[in-house]
Amino acid sequence: MTHFRNLLFALPILAVSCSQNAKKEQANTAGTALLANGTFGYDLSFLQKHDSVIVLKSSDSMAQIIVSPKYQAKVFTSTANGAGGRSFGWVNYKTFGAKPDEHMNAFGGEDRLWLGPEGGKFSLYFKPGTKMEFANWHTPPAIDNESWQLVSKSNNEVAMSKTTELLNYANTLLKIKMDRTVKLCSTDDIQKMLGINAQHKVKAVGFSTTNTITNNGGKAWDKTTGAPCLWNLDMFSPSEKTVIVVPCNENTTGKVATTDYFGQIPPDRVKYDKGILLFKADGKSRGKLGMPPNRAKNMAGSYDPQNKVLTITMYDVDSKGTYLNQEWTPDKPPFVGDAVNAYNDGPLAAGGQMGPFYEIESVSPAAFLKPGEKLTHNHNVFHFTGDEAQLNQIALKTLGISLKDIQAAFK
């Protein structure tokens, strides 16, 4: 169960009139074709060449997001300032025109839904009996390259669904239905969800995703058959000084985080102090960390001082839930895993690089479901950009750390 903090944070708001927004948007739209790479309009123009994407627009701000049923119900990207504003999601342009990849088609996306576990005794990414190495790793098509069904859409919300069958590493056939609703948040939504108000010198965009998995078969999912989990992954563009922030519960036992998913993260790239885990996210060194449910809070985020972008993610965490081990080995306990993950992309040992990008991820507990039962996982993403003094107040009230301390961590 998610435990939301009661945040008391009231700042004066200066609203921009709808007519002003409309005029700005018309101007932005007119110049979309000329917008530079890195803007929302550039990404929208690119994506519209490959898909009839759905654009959700706020009625009380310049916030917009791009959603795609064709590309696995992804939220591709968002902006707080219309077509000419910064595009917050990472889009992997080269994948769209490339030959399909048997392992993973990395189209990018600011929020995508995957299923876990990736590795372990009940993996969905390795066929039964195969060695858990890259040559045998394959992302299930339903979350990799297949289209989803558009169920409904409105001005600020899109609902999508997908049914599939997956054979896990334990040779259990899982019949699965996934439902996903994406909603663009209003200014009031953002204030209420995070307990803040954005001042007039700060622009914001936020969206919520409601992700549901249903046991569509005739057999229960349990600790013998194995059970899947829902997995939200947010891909963002890094900068030289971007830092991921993962708050942590200190009044508990056990390790703070696993930091050696892809080899030990060097000590000059990850730091922990006073309930805050900091992870350098410059896209130059591949590493992943994970935090167990008893340690994880329901928020994480990042700060990019070069572009003055504060990102907050908020999600469900069950501190006593059973989470799945996703490591690429069948030999570790399968029901001891992480609730929150963070990833920094970097060059591969053999050369080449997918990104650069970085990720903040959340997962649901194992879906131990009887036939017809459902499990839902909520995951939300917010971006703030503008005046650093005001961004600092938001960071303190949500992540519990100042921008100064974030930036000082890896000097």
Side-chain angles (χ1 to χ4, degrees):
M1 181 180 296
T2 305
H3 300 287
F4 294 101
R5 305 184 210 175
N6 292 319
L7 303 177
L8 301 177
F9 181 32
L11 297 173
I13 252 190
L14 179 64
V16 179
S17 71
C18 292
S19 61
Q20 287 176 304
N21 284 337
K23 290 178 182 178
K24 288 182 181 178
E25 186 55 36
Q26 287 172 2
N28 278 332
T29 302
T32 296
L34 303 176
L35 291 173
N37 191 341
T39 63
F40 183 82
Y42 181 97
D43 283 344
L44 176 58
S45 179
F46 173 85
L47 292 167
Q48 285 175 331
K49 296 175 183 176
H50 300 273
D51 180 21
S52 54
V53 293
I54 297 170
V55 180
L56 302 182
K57 299 181 180 182
S58 173
S59 61
D60 65 1
S61 73
M62 298 293 287
Q64 299 183 34
I65 64 173
I66 300 173
V67 184
S68 173
K70 176 182 176 180
Y71 288 98
Q72 304 79 54
K74 286 179 172 65
V75 178
F76 263 115
T77 191
S78 66
T79 183
N81 199 29
R86 183 173 180 81
S87 185
F88 294 121
W90 180 74
V91 180
N92 193 14
Y93 310 114
K94 61 188 177 185
T95 299
F96 290 81
K99 180 182 177 181
D101 190 291
E102 65 170 310
H103 301 289
M104 173 190 175
N105 290 276
F107 298 106
E110 181 170 343
D111 181 85
R112 73 182 189 274
L113 180 65
W114 266 14
L115 295 173
E118 183 177 0
K121 185 178 177 180
F122 301 107
S123 171
L124 303 178
Y125 296 69
F126 294 93
K127 292 181 180 179
T130 60
K131 187 177 180 180
M132 290 191 180
E133 59 186 17
F134 183 76
N136 300 321
W137 178 79
H138 302 280
T139 309
I143 54 173
D144 179 62
N145 54 41
E146 293 181 353
S147 297
W148 283 43
Q149 178 185 356
L150 174 62
V151 177
S152 65
K153 67 175 180 176
S154 65
N155 290 336
N156 68 337
E157 187 172 296
V158 182
M160 298 155 285
S161 70
K162 180 71 176 179
T163 57
T164 190
E165 295 184 358
L166 299 176
L167 187 70
N168 70 13
Y169 198 74
N171 209 34
T172 299
L173 183 65
L174 304 173
K175 296 185 177 182
I176 295 169
K177 183 174 187 288
M178 292 176 284
D179 291 283
R180 177 164 155 89
T181 300
V182 178
K183 180 182 177 182
L184 178 64
C185 299
S186 67
T187 301
D188 283 346
D189 291 334
I190 296 171
Q191 293 168 4
K192 291 174 183 177
M193 294 174 76
L194 293 178
I196 64 168
N197 288 335
Q199 286 189 3
H200 64 278
K201 292 184 180 179
V202 171
K203 293 184 181 296
V205 60
F207 62 87
S208 62
T209 72
T210 303
N211 311 280
T212 301
I213 187 170
T214 303
N215 183 341
N216 225 20
K219 182 184 292 186
W221 299 340
D222 55 31
K223 290 189 174 182
T224 301
T225 63
C229 66
L230 294 159
W231 186 5
N232 283 76
L233 303 97
D234 304 331
M235 305 178 86
F236 306 121
S237 297
S239 74
E240 188 75 26
K241 296 183 179 180
T242 300
V243 176
I244 295 171
V245 183
V246 188
C248 168
N249 287 316
E250 292 189 284
N251 58 342
T252 187
T253 59
K255 64 181 178 181
V256 173
T258 297
T259 57
D260 59 353
Y261 271 89
F262 301 127
Q264 182 60 49
I265 300 171
D268 62 344
R269 287 188 160 270
V270 61
K271 294 185 178 180
Y272 174 74
D273 184 43
K274 298 177 182 177
I276 302 288
L277 188 68
L278 299 167
F279 182 23
K280 192 171 184 178
D282 57 1
K284 294 184 176 181
S285 178
R286 189 168 181 257
K288 179 177 177 178
L289 60 81
M291 189 171 285
N294 66 314
R295 287 283 188 178
K297 292 188 175 182
N298 72 321
M299 269 186 211
S302 64
Y303 185 59
D304 172 1
Q306 291 176 235
N307 297 293
K308 295 183 180 179
V309 177
L310 174 66
T311 296
I312 306 293
T313 61
M314 184 172 70
Y315 34 75
D316 292 344
V317 176
D318 182 351
S319 62
K320 297 182 180 179
T322 299
Y323 286 78
L324 300 168
N325 190 313
Q326 304 225 45
E327 296 175 87
W328 286 19
T329 172
D331 301 324
K332 291 190 176 182
F335 300 114
V336 180
D338 296 320
V340 179
N341 295 96
Y343 173 79
N344 184 52
D345 190 43
L348 298 169
Q353 183 173 352
M354 183 186 297
F357 60 88
Y358 70 96
E359 289 181 324
I360 300 174
E361 311 167 8
S362 74
V363 299
S364 75
F368 295 128
L369 303 175
K370 296 177 182 177
E373 288 186 338
K374 301 178 179 182
L375 174 71
T376 295
H377 180 67
N378 296 291
H379 183 100
N380 314 280
V381 179
F382 310 91
H383 301 285
F384 302 91
T385 184
D387 181 73
E388 275 198 294
Q390 295 175 17
L391 294 177
N392 184 59
Q393 293 181 65
I394 297 172
L396 284 167
K397 289 296 181 178
T398 54
L399 301 174
I401 186 173
S402 70
L403 299 186
K404 179 181 178 182
D405 288 342
I406 294 173
Q407 295 173 74
F410 300 109
K411 282 187 176 178

